[in-house]
Amino acid sequence: ELALGLAMERRRLLDGGDSFWAPWIRTLPTPGDLLRDDVKYAGVEILDYYSALPLVDQIIQWNVKVAQDWEDHRTAWSDLAQKEGALALTFDDCKWASSIVRSRVFDPPPTYALMPFADMMNTGPRANMEVYQDVVCEGLGDASYCALMLVPGSRVHCGDELLQSYTSADNAERLFRGGFVFRGNPSPLLQPGAAVHEALQRLEKRGA
């Protein structure tokens, strides 16, 4: 649902329309960027070459699901998109949005959400920002919100970098979701077998 909404917003922009989210969408990686940098867009030759890596199965399964979702819902999604002013929604739009959401989504509670402000932050071993759920804001009724705020006790001075706390995940998951690995990641990878170790050595030799 979140990915479909993002796909429609971007498609409406490409079709010459407008979107409240236009300033943020224009900062996001393009499909060309993802084709070059995102492992979920890796071609068959690359996937075959590193087939021993468990990550490859994850990539294949993700692509199969995205394609199947499109086949199952194409008519309904296209009709909805046209009503929203996105006249030519495509599978590539939905795949792009699914990848963007995968790399940026904040999980419940209270709901799946995207926070454009968070795109300006990296992560690190000493994060000074955290996502807080069920935040109640004075003057806004009984509704609860999801907020990105300083970690209690953090001291951030002018010019300091804001670092958000990411959900615990090993570097295979980091690479799959966000296209990066976390040096000094406290979440260890599973001990690889010989075939995986050989594939990792090939990856290192390619400079990846």
Side-chain angles (χ1 to χ4, degrees), residues 115 117 121-122 126-133 135 146-165:
M115 295 185 187
F117 175 65
M121 297 180 222
N122 290 313
R126 295 182 180 85
N128 49 32
M129 301 290 289
E130 181 60 276
V131 177
Y132 295 89
Q133 290 89 17
V135 176
C146 191
L148 193 60
M149 299 186 295
L150 283 172
V151 172
S154 295
R155 295 186 177 184
V156 178
H157 303 285
C158 181
D160 287 350
E161 184 177 14
L162 297 179
L163 298 173
Q164 61 175 301
S165 177

Side-chain angles (χ1 to χ4, degrees), residues 142-208:
D142 296 330
S144 61
Y145 297 85
C146 191
L148 193 60
M149 299 186 295
L150 283 172
V151 172
S154 295
R155 295 186 177 184
V156 178
H157 303 285
C158 181
D160 287 350
E161 184 177 14
L162 297 179
L163 298 173
Q164 61 175 301
S165 177
Y166 285 5
T167 302
S168 178
D170 64 31
N171 275 340
E173 183 65 17
R174 291 258 178 263
L175 185 59
F176 175 73
R177 291 187 60 168
F180 72 97
V181 293
F182 185 7
R183 180 173 293 179
N185 191 337
S187 298
L189 287 165
L190 294 176
Q191 290 298 318
V196 174
H197 184 70
E198 183 181 342
L200 288 171
Q201 286 184 323
R202 291 200 298 266
L203 192 61
E204 290 176 355
K205 289 179 180 178
R206 289 176 65 99

